[in-house]
């Protein structure tokens, strides 16, 4: 496993995809999806200039970010967030990318106000309509954004999605287009306390398609750090606590 070499390959892939669709590579951020990756291996990537880290599990994140506390990094939570873990999430998260329901928003606001804090979030949308993934259904996303915007403690910065797992490129592209269309429609509403700068979409296998469809943040794990021991469903399903 050669993290430094893999990172170079990823950046080359980003540059090539950007060149193909006339985008500036600096408009596409790379977030390292570091579930199961050791702090030592994460540090190798940080030494190469990476700064954005995303973790899926609260306990794992708490431990890992403690080990990385002297590093200059932005720490995102990208996993399914349970209400009883909000307090722990607030200990490390600079951004929560996986807000997908109003009861979670309410609890998040309560805790934020208690701590006299605010939080940047993304709304996670289930663009593939697969049961195994979290996220608000596309047709309910606008309503969730509007209701969430009423909470002063919470700042919506954009949208996040996981593309469908499919060998069919058009199926994947469809997911990213749904997110992009939502971004456009939400922008048109000019909702106070809502920004739509971030489109977090694209992973190891589909980042080129995501870039073509307007991604501003890729979340990449295996293509940098190698295969994970646990299947992704362990991290994405309700059973994977
Ligand atoms: C693991 C994970 C990724 C990265 O997936 P890879 O296929 O390893 O690049 C991206 N987003 C989320 C939410 C993840 O859990």
């Amino acid at each position: 496993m050669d993290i430094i070499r893999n990172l170079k390959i990823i950046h080359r892939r980003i540059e090539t995809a950007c060149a193909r669709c006339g985008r500036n590579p600096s408009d596409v951020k790379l977030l390292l999806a570091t579930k199961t990756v050791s702090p030592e291996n994460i540090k190798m990537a940080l030494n190469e200039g990476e700064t954005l880290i995303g973790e899926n599990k609260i306990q794992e994140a708490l431990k890992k970010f403690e080990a990385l506390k002297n590093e200059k990094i932005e720490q995102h939570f990208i996993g399914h967030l349970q209400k009883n873990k909000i307090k722990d999430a607030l200990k490390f998260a600079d951004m929560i990318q996986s807000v997908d329901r109003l009861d979670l928003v309410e609890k998040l606001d309560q805790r934020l106000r208690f701590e006299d804090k605010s939080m940047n979030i993304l709304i996670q949308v289930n663009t593939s309509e697969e049961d195994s993934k979290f996220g608000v259904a596309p047709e309910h996303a606008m309503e969730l954004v509007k209701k969430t915007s009423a909470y002063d403690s919470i700042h919506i910065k954009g949208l996040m999605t996981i593309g469908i797992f499919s060998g069919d490129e058009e199926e994947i592209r469809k997911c990213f287009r749904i997110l992009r269309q939502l971004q456009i429609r939400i922008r048109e509403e000019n909702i106070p306390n809502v920004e739509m700068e971030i489109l977090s979409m694209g992973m190891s296998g589909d980042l080129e398609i995501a870039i073509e469809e307007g991604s501003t943040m890729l979340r990449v794990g295996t293509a940098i750090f190698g295969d994970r021991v646990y299947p992704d469903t362990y991290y994405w399903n309700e059973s994977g606590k």
Side-chain angles (χ1 to χ4, degrees):
M1 185 176 58
D2 189 340
I3 291 166
I4 294 170
R5 181 170 158 272
N6 291 346
L7 259 177
K8 290 203 172 101
I9 293 170
I10 285 292
H11 281 290
R12 204 170 311 138
R13 281 175 64 186
I14 295 171
E15 281 159 24
T16 306
C18 282
R20 207 165 46 225
C21 57
R23 296 190 60 195
N24 189 337
S26 65
D27 293 337
V28 185
K29 295 208 168 90
L30 176 63
L31 175 137
L32 310 178
T34 51
K35 53 181 179 263
T36 76
V37 180
S38 69
E40 291 67 36
N41 282 351
I42 296 172
K43 278 183 192 170
M44 281 192 217
L46 300 181
N47 286 338
E48 296 301 296
E50 301 301 331
T51 57
L52 265 177
I53 309 286
E55 283 285 339
N56 289 65
K57 297 269 176 195
I58 298 291
Q59 293 313 318
E60 187 179 336
L62 283 170
K63 254 195 252 157
K64 223 176 277 183
F65 288 132
E66 175 62 25
L68 296 170
K69 67 174 178 237
N70 294 324
E71 306 286 337
K72 277 209 168 55
I73 51 178
E74 198 178 309
Q75 305 178 168
H76 289 213
F77 186 70
I78 62 174
H80 178 62
L81 184 55
Q82 292 161 281
K83 281 179 281 186
N84 63 359
K85 299 279 171 64
I86 287 174
K87 190 177 155 192
D88 284 332
L90 296 187
K91 289 178 186 161
F92 66 84
D94 297 309
M95 179 177 282
I96 298 172
Q97 295 206 4
S98 47
V99 175
D100 61 357
R101 56 202 194 278
L102 198 61
D103 64 336
L104 180 65
V105 168
E106 285 163 1
K107 283 275 185 269
L108 183 58
D109 170 68
Q110 275 175 19
R111 186 67 208 178
L112 284 166
R113 280 190 290 121
F114 179 76
E115 295 187 17
D116 195 21
K117 270 191 182 173
S118 65
M119 181 56 64
N120 291 334
I121 67 150
L122 304 180
I123 297 291
Q124 182 176 358
V125 183
N126 184 355
T127 54
S128 66
E129 314 251 353
E130 289 175 296
D131 296 340
S132 59
K133 286 177 206 154
F134 293 100
V136 63
E139 61 270 29
H140 296 132
M142 180 70 83
E143 187 189 356
L144 180 59
V145 166
K146 284 183 175 165
K147 287 190 168 153
T148 303
S149 73
Y151 295 91
D152 294 335
S153 65
I154 299 173
H155 306 303
I156 300 178
K157 298 292 180 186
L159 305 173
M160 183 271 249
T161 199
I162 300 171
I164 194 169
F165 288 103
S166 166
D168 184 346
E169 188 173 307
E170 284 313 306
E171 290 292 310
I172 302 169
R173 194 177 295 280
K174 222 185 278 173
C175 294
F176 297 152
R177 283 208 174 139
I178 289 171
L179 205 69
R180 171 87 173 123
Q181 288 305 319
L182 270 172
Q183 178 198 41
I184 292 168
R185 281 185 37 225
I186 293 165
R187 271 188 174 150
E188 284 168 358
E189 298 273 324
N190 280 318
I191 306 162
N193 191 30
V194 174
E195 288 170 44
M196 275 289 127
E197 297 311 310
I198 300 177
L199 271 191
S200 174
M201 58 188 197
M203 312 192 337
S204 292
D206 56 19
L207 66 89
E208 283 86 358
I209 305 170
I211 289 171
E212 286 166 14
E213 297 303 330
S215 172
T216 67
M217 189 180 289
L218 308 166
R219 307 177 310 270
V220 178
T222 42
I224 298 168
F225 298 107
D227 286 334
R228 290 178 290 268
V229 178
Y230 298 106
D232 282 340
T233 47
Y234 170 77
Y235 283 91
W236 290 342
N237 285 354
E238 191 72 73
S239 57
K241 285 166 189 158

